[in-house]
Amino acid sequence: MTFLYDQLIHEFGKRAISQIPIPAHISDNLKFSQRPYQQEAFQRFILCHSENFTGKPSLPLHLLYNMATGSGKTLVMAGLMLHLYEKGYRNFLFFVNSNNIIQKTKDNFLNPQTSKYLFNNKIIVSGKEVMIKQVDNFDEADHENINIKFTTIQQLHTDLNNTRENGITYEDFQNREIVLIADEAHHLSSGTKSGNLFGSWEDTVLQVLRQNFKNILLEFTATLDYESQEIVAKYKDKVIYKYDLSQFRKDKFSKEINLVRSLYDEQERIIQALILNLYRQELASFNNINLKPVILFKAKKTIKESEQNKENFHQLIDDLSETMIQKIKNTSSVPVVQKAFRFFEAKNIPMSEIAKRIRINFREENCLSANNDSEAEKNQILLNTLEEENNPVRAVFAVQKLNEGWDVLNLFDIVRLYEDRDGKDGKPGKTTLSEAQLIGRGARYFPFALEAGEDKFVRKFDDDISNDLKILEELYYHTKEDSRYISELKRALVDSGIYEDEANLETKQLKLKPAFKDSELYKKGHVFSNRKLPKNFGKITSVKDLGVKKTNYRHQLSSGGGRISNVFFEWESPVSSDEIMKTKDIKITDIQKHVVLCALSRNPFYYFNHLSHYFPNIHSISDFIEHPDYLGSLEITFVGSQNRLQEISHFDYLQALTGLLQNIEADIKNNSTEYEGSAFYPQPIRQVFKDKEIRVAKDNERAKGQEDLISNESWYVYNANYGTNEEKKFVELFSRRFEGFSQKFENIHVIRNEREIKIFDKLGRAFEPDFLLFCNRKDDEKLTFQVFIEPKGTHLIGHDKWKEDFLKEIGNEKKSIKIITDTYKITAVPFYNYGNENEFKNILESTFEK
């Protein structure tokens, strides 16, 4: 059965979808940059909304985004609101099943003072500033701004079916084009599941949608029941995009999940979690990462249980002693706990100090009950700003309230404060499923970077699992050892996509061969890479430098000229001499300056503080207008009749200038970036390439190490190659060519790049070539070649074309860098692909020609 998201791929192809430009009214008005999957969410909607294709949903348009918890669904909502505003929509109805989520979303959409506000300070669409207004009903709406009503689905259902003064009614939707946005939309299908829509929330929403043919319903959920035939039948032509937790985790945007089981009693489990909490905090601080890790203490059923847990916890913190910490050190067999104690010892933090710091961190005022309805609004603000420095909360106590709609990045430990289970026949029960859902919320990645230009938002140590900092990319779920419960929880987590069962993984030891460690290259050699730096606009001295085209902007002057054509006969009224179209070129500097200033002032892109970011060498707006390197050399070609060209008004000039400036703005944005790659710089090879542990799926190609081929080859520096099939094919090729290659070269070393080296192109895009080849000419031992090599499967060549272009650019430049008496030549070759192996072989060998 084909879903809409697959139908789009079938009709247009993934590459065509990826090439749809994100409109400026989306990208320029969102405060946060969009990740690739969020861009695809926009591209799919633009395509579905604007193009006709087989399987396109009928009107009124009803679509669903099935996107993972933590993937930024609200940002997608905000971008779609901007796009639909540009398309003429003004009224938006947001609804969800929980008041807590309503408050959070209001902050995201309406409150510029919060860190999670989604828009830039000024929203500009088609040259005009747009406000976002909250309304109680659409009679309050205006046509210039985005009008949005927030409500719960329960309240919407009640309001529409029980008319009251100033309330919203079905009639509100009849003569207006409205966009309905439903969050946590899996709650809207109870009628479908039961087979009876009448009187349900679902029926209410569908009635609203059908009030106007041009209404749009956009549903968002991380949880769609693909096992239900009724749900599949309802949504197969509506699910426009599926980006689930499994893909979210594979793309490295989430924490990894670890289950910490022990035979400790409840109090000891809590102390063990507190020790790990302090370890994370101190480890992060030591590495200049600002982190305040939070723990969640989970009760099973009742608020009373949770409140008792909180009371017991405060007593434990008051009583926490050096002896209690020492007991965990002496008895815990959890490796990361022992690693934590080794860290404390190395940093001279004694047991007494560990206990003291934990007592300070978890004072009663730093602990929050999420169950307290009497302070719901205050608590909701604290819960949704846990990452902020001025938020003191370190521990949260809850039952079920946080299973949906909770945005938290710095939750690293969840402690289960009960021990029974409700699964049957190996299947997880309702409680276990809700625990898996909560773990999914806590799996949101805490962003950090260790060096300038590094991507803050993705995991960094999947290929270096022994790295101490990996604990900053992991969520620990602490529970009592119970094999049946653990099996059921694992099943629930695997089904959700957020967890990879350890039974399906194996750890591989990747070791540098002793012969390589004895080589001159390892002891004294260098490897070259570059950094991602903020773009230096100081080198920009003209609009031409940012891609502004030299061709004149053409502006058609309006006129009353026209003709009559006969439908059935080849006859048209003759064209008079006054209606013959002519052209006239006018320089910007020949247009009255106050008109040019007016045109510039209507577009915030040309405000001086913004313009000087791209052109830091201009001294004033007048300088930008008059200098020949900027607007001073540009012209507008006016098109019109002879009479019209003699009567160009200020309004004509203003319209033409507005069009010209919009074109210039688009050119500048399309040809500039906020980052760029630096020059290459050296690092000692021995400091970059080291022994390491990696984890791979047991049944994956990467689990095979190609040892039979490379274990005894001196030119391959590691003991194994846990690469893709294409990477192994390249190594096979090099092995066959080595004998001939070694006749001209010596000190030949092929190093597989396990994420140690990144290079950045002129747009600041990161690339990690799979292999580096080092060698010296036999006739010139002082010259060392460093060659970047990237094997690429056929299905990825088109998608990664920019990487191949970058490699070709490096290959064409062949930069030479001298270090004392040695010279390094940095070069690269186009993609290796098994299908073009002979062509690649010739290019590789020609790379070393003088």
Side-chain angles (χ1 to χ4, degrees), residues 79 81 335 463 514 605 751:
M81 284 171 54
D463 295 320
F605 181 83
I751 305 178

Side-chain angles (χ1 to χ4, degrees), residues 214-394:
K214 292 187 177 180
N215 284 350
I216 296 175
L217 171 57
L218 301 174
E219 298 188 31
F220 293 81
T221 181
T223 310
L224 193 66
D225 186 1
Y226 289 96
E227 300 298 316
S228 166
Q229 292 182 0
E230 293 82 9
I231 296 298
V232 168
K234 175 183 176 181
Y235 283 110
K236 67 179 181 180
D237 64 343
K238 298 176 178 65
V239 185
I240 187 173
Y241 191 32
K242 183 182 181 183
Y243 186 77
D244 57 18
L245 265 176
S246 176
Q247 192 60 50
F248 189 58
R249 183 182 64 80
K250 288 175 183 175
D251 289 344
K252 303 185 179 182
F253 289 114
S254 71
K255 300 186 187 89
E256 291 283 34
I257 309 299
N258 284 332
L259 305 179
V260 181
R261 306 105 75 176
S262 70
L263 294 173
Y264 281 147
D265 62 23
E266 182 180 293
Q267 180 171 288
E268 290 164 334
R269 286 205 306 277
I270 292 173
I271 296 171
Q272 182 167 257
L274 292 169
I275 290 166
L276 290 178
N277 178 278
L278 181 65
Y279 173 45
R280 280 193 182 90
Q281 176 184 309
E282 299 297 331
L283 179 66
S285 177
F286 180 73
N287 287 277
N288 299 312
I289 299 168
N290 187 12
L291 171 64
K292 181 198 64 175
V294 170
I295 303 180
L296 172 68
F297 295 97
K298 175 77 167 64
K300 182 180 181 182
K301 286 185 178 180
T302 67
I303 293 175
K304 184 177 180 181
E305 289 171 356
S306 185
E307 296 306 313
Q308 185 62 54
N309 290 338
K310 189 170 183 289
E311 187 177 324
N312 295 343
F313 178 78
H314 295 319
Q315 187 61 54
L316 171 61
I317 293 298
D318 289 343
D319 296 340
L320 190 65
S321 65
E322 178 181 349
T323 304
M324 297 161 82
I325 302 293
Q326 184 68 50
K327 180 180 178 182
I328 300 299
K329 181 185 178 185
N330 294 342
T331 58
S332 177
S333 61
V334 177
V336 72
V337 175
Q338 293 305 320
K339 181 184 275 192
F341 281 114
R342 289 194 296 272
F343 173 86
F344 293 141
E345 290 173 7
K347 303 303 176 193
N348 298 313
I349 304 174
M351 300 292 171
S352 58
E353 183 64 21
I354 293 171
K356 178 183 175 182
R357 293 184 187 185
I358 291 173
R359 287 196 300 270
I360 292 171
N361 287 343
F362 291 91
R363 291 174 299 195
E364 186 168 353
E365 59 266 34
N366 294 346
C367 302
L368 176 69
S369 170
N371 312 300
N372 189 346
D373 284 329
S374 64
E375 298 187 8
E377 186 172 341
K378 175 185 173 183
N379 288 348
Q380 196 61 35
I381 293 170
L382 289 170
L383 285 168
N384 284 321
T385 58
L386 285 173
E387 305 89 3
E388 295 184 9
E389 289 185 35
N390 61 354
N391 186 323
V393 174
R394 297 298 301 271

Side-chain angles (χ1 to χ4, degrees), residues 723-740:
T724 64
N725 183 64
E726 207 72 32
E727 290 163 18
K728 292 185 171 92
K729 289 289 186 184
F730 160 72
V731 172
E732 290 174 11
L733 169 68
F734 195 85
S735 177
R736 296 196 303 272
R737 306 297 297 176
F738 177 74
E739 185 176 346

Side-chain angles (χ1 to χ4, degrees), residues 530-564:
N530 66 344
R531 297 183 177 93
K532 180 180 178 180
L533 299 175
K535 184 174 178 63
N536 179 13
F537 285 96
K539 297 179 288 186
I540 304 298
T541 59
S542 71
V543 292
K544 180 182 174 184
D545 291 342
L546 288 180
V548 175
K549 301 177 181 66
K550 285 187 174 180
T551 54
N552 284 6
Y553 174 75
R554 294 176 69 87
H555 178 73
Q556 175 71 54
L557 292 167
S558 62
S559 73
R563 288 178 289 163
I564 296 175

